[in-house]
Amino acid sequence: CGGEIEAAAAALTAKGRTIDVIYCSPFLRCIQTAERLLRHMNLHEVPVYVHRGLSEVHTQHLIFKGHPT
């Protein structure tokens, strides 16, 4: 991410913000991002809940309104 996570963590910390919980999709990249953010904020006890309902889904049923022709 080229330091983007570290910069976000520093900005949140500088503003006195904290994180109580993270919800993310089961994609590895999302879990890794959550873990990196928490690590850089020294929030090692914050739970990360993975929910498959947050996954990106690409099906005709969800992409198109009505029925595709």
Side-chain angles (χ1 to χ4, degrees):
C1 286
E4 294 170 2
I5 297 299
E6 294 82 354
L12 288 170
T13 301
K15 292 181 179 182
R17 304 282 173 95
T18 190
I19 295 173
D20 297 319
V21 64
I22 291 182
Y23 295 91
C24 70
S25 76
F27 294 109
L28 181 59
R29 67 181 184 270
C30 298
I31 297 167
Q32 290 171 334
T33 298
E35 291 173 345
R36 283 181 60 201
L37 180 64
L38 294 174
R39 186 172 57 249
H40 285 287
M41 293 181 72
N42 293 316
L43 298 173
H44 305 288
E45 301 298 321
V46 172
V48 176
Y49 295 107
V50 177
H51 192 285
R52 68 180 183 162
L54 298 173
S55 300
E56 300 158 352
V57 179
H58 302 287
T59 65
Q60 289 184 349
H61 174 72
L62 295 175
I63 293 174
F64 299 104
K65 290 188 182 258
H67 293 76
T69 56

